[in-house]
Amino acid sequence: MSTSNTSPAPVSPYLVLGAAIVLPASGHVILGVPVRGLQFLFFMVILAWVTAKISPPDASFVGRHAGGFLIYALSILDAYKIARIRTAKWAHNARPEGDDVPSDIEPHA
């Protein structure tokens, strides 16, 4: 039983990765989840402010805002992960043989 997949291809994960690196939350906007990107931006600002208040005055810029940079890095990984999962699901569903392909994997006894 073969079903044709007419859904369009998802956005390239590398495009999402590049956008997320260049501009925070833009990867999430491209993926269609802008609220998630806004949440990451909110926590970026809050944690950057908190670490700026508790860090020593002689710390570098990155050290003073380390909390914000941490959330920024996590948002990049999150946007890329969502894009990769969507692409993998689309590629799996686009296979002509679908889920009826026999495999060598046995179920647990």
Side-chain angles (χ1 to χ4, degrees):
M1 181 167 149
S2 175
T3 59
S4 63
N5 186 12
T6 59
S7 64
V11 180
S12 167
Y14 298 116
L15 175 67
V16 171
L17 177 65
I21 290 171
V22 172
L23 186 63
S26 62
H28 289 95
V29 171
I30 290 172
L31 289 170
V33 286
V35 173
R36 189 173 179 94
L38 187 62
Q39 290 169 344
F40 273 108
L41 278 175
F42 174 76
F43 284 105
M44 260 185 256
V45 171
I46 295 299
L47 285 177
W49 180 79
V50 167
T51 53
K53 294 298 178 190
I54 64 172
S55 65
D58 60 339
S60 68
F61 178 81
V62 174
R64 283 193 315 265
H65 301 92
F69 284 113
L70 171 69
I71 302 301
Y72 172 56
L74 291 174
S75 74
I76 292 170
L77 293 174
D78 183 68
Y80 181 67
K81 180 187 82 168
I82 292 171
R84 285 295 303 243
I85 289 171
R86 287 184 182 179
T87 301
K89 284 181 179 179
W90 178 83
H92 176 75
N93 292 335
R95 293 184 340 189
E97 58 270 357
D99 288 337
D100 297 334
V101 177
S103 70
D104 296 335
I105 300 173
E106 305 262 336
H108 290 290

